[in-house]
Amino acid sequence: MAATHLTEARIKALRSRKTTRDIRDAGLKGFGIRVYPTGRKRFFVHTQHQGYRIWKIVGDASEISLIEARKRAQALLAATRIGTPASTEETLFETVAEEVFRRYGRAWKPGTLTVNRGYYRKQILPWFRGRQIAGITGTDVREWFASLHATPGAADRSAPILSVIMARAEDYGYRPQGSNPCKGIRRYRRKGRERYCSVEEVRRLGLVLKTHEQRFPTEVAIIRLLLLTGCRSQEIVSLRWTEYRQGHLHLRDSKTGPRMVWLSSPARQILDGLPKNSPWVFPSTRTKGHISSSSVGKLWTSIRAEAALSDVRLHDLRHTYASLAVMQGESILTVGRLLGHSDPATTLKYTHLADNVVAEAAEAVGTVLGRART
């Protein structure tokens, strides 16, 4: 971190860059100024004394003078040295985490926010409660992550949430820039995370669905559409008729934002055969809204048992759609577009399936050429 003798003239001359940067004052140890990409400048204190670490914004350069900022910093540093640091409650981990959920939570969809809060309360908060957020290190995070080895799924879901809290803590001035202690955390490798149905399994599923079609027409139609589109369950369950036009689905609010879903002829036939007596494609019989995911889930539990697919989740129909597309020779890029992946890296888990297609193609070509040589 750069150090310089701060003056009003030097502070005024500081220019913003693409990333946030901190400049320490060479005259007062622990005191400095942070320059944001927006051009905003804020004075801070960052120090440690007898195991206690504090990172605190002491004022905005547009609101207080350098002289006033130094006075505040000196008072805070003095209080820290005699063991009575000021205003420590506002820098506790749980206090900052709540601020992050309040301010950054709007970037998450309501369902995602609810799930993330659940992981935070159960997996993250018990370990870090009462800690000063500026004092949490990479070692602390690795020990926390290791403590969750018995529940790797929860660990993998919780780590990104903690990382967001730490990253926003930097932005809000509670931690030094570039100090995210979650960097380098590797997720647990779990076998069988993705389950794909074979063609034979899809055939069995189709036969079982047919036996339930008359009694549960709505749920069966949803399950078939999940298999035929690769959509997420909530995207189909909450589908509106206004989102089905020109032979495509124009989803207004998918997990990755608005997107268009290409429909095959079988998928269009299902939609075209449904009654249009509600704004919802799959209206609820109990409320004015759409059918609940739990209704589909209950039927799915029975159907997968009858089809001898007890380890197949409803979400695995999405993986099945993608895997069959890859094995039919579609590129990873095309499959990513079909699934609506915002990050191409997400689709790379299907690469090994594509490799199988290439290997089969190489074998077929080799057989033909081998015959020609003889």
Side-chain angles (χ1 to χ4, degrees):
M1 183 182 297
T4 185
H5 288 281
L6 293 177
T7 64
E8 292 285 5
R10 285 180 175 173
I11 291 173
K12 186 176 181 180
L14 290 172
R15 296 290 178 262
S16 60
R17 297 177 181 176
K18 292 183 178 179
T19 58
T20 300
R21 59 187 176 124
D22 296 333
I23 299 94
R24 286 189 179 274
D25 181 28
L28 179 59
K29 187 177 180 181
F31 175 61
I33 189 167
R34 169 170 288 188
V35 183
Y36 295 85
T38 60
R40 187 180 187 182
K41 301 169 186 177
R42 305 175 78 189
F43 297 109
F44 68 83
V45 164
H46 181 210
T47 189
Q48 184 171 333
H49 181 67
Q50 294 182 348
Y52 175 80
R53 182 180 296 176
I54 185 171
W55 172 273
K56 182 176 176 60
I57 293 295
V58 297
D60 198 297
S62 65
E63 299 174 355
I64 63 172
S65 67
L66 175 60
I67 294 175
E68 176 61 24
R70 271 207 179 94
K71 288 181 180 179
R72 294 185 187 182
Q74 287 171 338
L76 187 59
L77 289 167
T80 302
R81 293 188 188 101
I82 63 175
T84 57
S87 303
T88 58
E89 289 295 323
E90 66 186 59
T91 56
L92 289 176
F93 171 78
E94 58 267 31
T95 304
V96 177
E98 282 302 321
E99 181 180 349
V100 172
F101 275 108
R102 185 175 66 253
R103 296 173 62 179
Y104 184 78
R106 287 170 285 185
W108 289 320
K109 293 184 180 298
T112 302
L113 177 60
T114 300
V115 170
N116 287 353
R117 272 197 172 277
Y119 280 109
Y120 166 72
R121 288 193 305 269
K122 295 178 182 178
Q123 311 296 341
I124 300 174
L125 183 58
W127 187 275
F128 295 104
R129 181 189 282 113
R131 301 279 299 276
Q132 286 291 314
I133 196 162
I136 296 174
T137 66
T139 300
D140 296 327
V141 172
R142 286 190 291 273
E143 289 177 353
W144 162 76
F145 195 68
S147 73
L148 299 176
H149 69 278
T151 54
D156 287 349
R157 290 294 301 271
S158 300
I161 300 169
L162 179 60
S163 182
V164 167
I165 292 172
M166 292 300 178
R168 298 287 77 76
E170 293 180 20
D171 294 341
Y172 302 161
Y174 297 109
R175 288 183 62 90
Q177 195 67 22
S179 65
N180 192 333
C182 297
K183 291 180 179 178
I185 295 295
R186 294 184 178 182
R187 295 191 179 190
Y188 288 99
R189 293 184 178 181
R190 290 178 286 150
K191 295 182 178 180
R193 293 181 68 179
E194 311 298 346
R195 172 67 159 89
Y196 318 114
C197 292
S198 66
V199 174
E200 171 57 26
E201 288 175 327
V202 171
R203 187 190 68 80
R204 290 206 310 267
L205 174 60
L207 293 174
V208 174
L209 285 173
K210 192 171 183 179
T211 64
H212 289 272
E213 189 169 20
Q214 186 172 358
R215 187 178 178 186
F216 302 101
T218 299
E219 290 85 350
V220 168
I222 290 173
I223 293 172
R224 283 177 171 161
L225 281 175
L226 291 176
L227 184 60
L228 288 168
T229 64
C231 284
R232 300 174 180 87
S233 179
Q234 192 61 25
E235 292 171 345
I236 296 299
V237 167
S238 62
L239 191 64
R240 296 173 181 265
W241 282 115
T242 54
E243 295 175 298
Y244 175 45
R245 55 186 185 273
Q246 289 88 47
H248 302 85
L249 295 183
H250 299 265
L251 303 180
R252 297 182 300 175
D253 191 29
S254 72
K255 183 178 180 180
T256 55
R259 74 180 183 97
M260 184 172 73
V261 179
W262 282 262
L263 297 178
S264 62
S265 296
R268 291 196 299 270
Q269 287 174 6
I270 292 174
L271 289 168
D272 292 339
L274 296 173
K276 298 178 176 61
N277 49 16
S278 167
W280 304 101
V281 176
F282 300 107
S284 171
T285 57
R286 299 179 180 180
T287 68
K288 294 182 179 180
H290 58 75
I291 190 173
S292 67
S293 298
S294 59
S295 296
V296 183
K298 289 178 181 178
L299 180 62
W300 176 250
T301 300
S302 299
I303 286 177
R304 69 178 184 178
E306 292 179 38
L309 301 172
S310 58
D311 63 333
V312 178
R313 304 166 301 166
L314 203 57
H315 189 70
D316 289 327
L317 299 183
R318 177 174 167 84
H319 299 316
T320 298
Y321 175 83
S323 66
L324 291 176
V326 170
M327 288 187 286
Q328 289 298 312
E330 301 298 337
S331 69
I332 294 296
L333 178 61
T334 298
V335 173
R337 292 189 64 190
L338 288 172
L339 295 179
H341 286 161
S342 58
D343 184 356
T346 307
T347 322
L348 293 180
K349 60 188 174 185
Y350 300 105
T351 301
H352 69 286
L353 298 174
D355 290 343
N356 292 340
V357 174
V358 174
E360 291 176 3
E363 187 66 28
V365 172
T367 299
V368 172
L369 294 177
R371 291 172 181 170
R373 190 181 67 177
T374 57

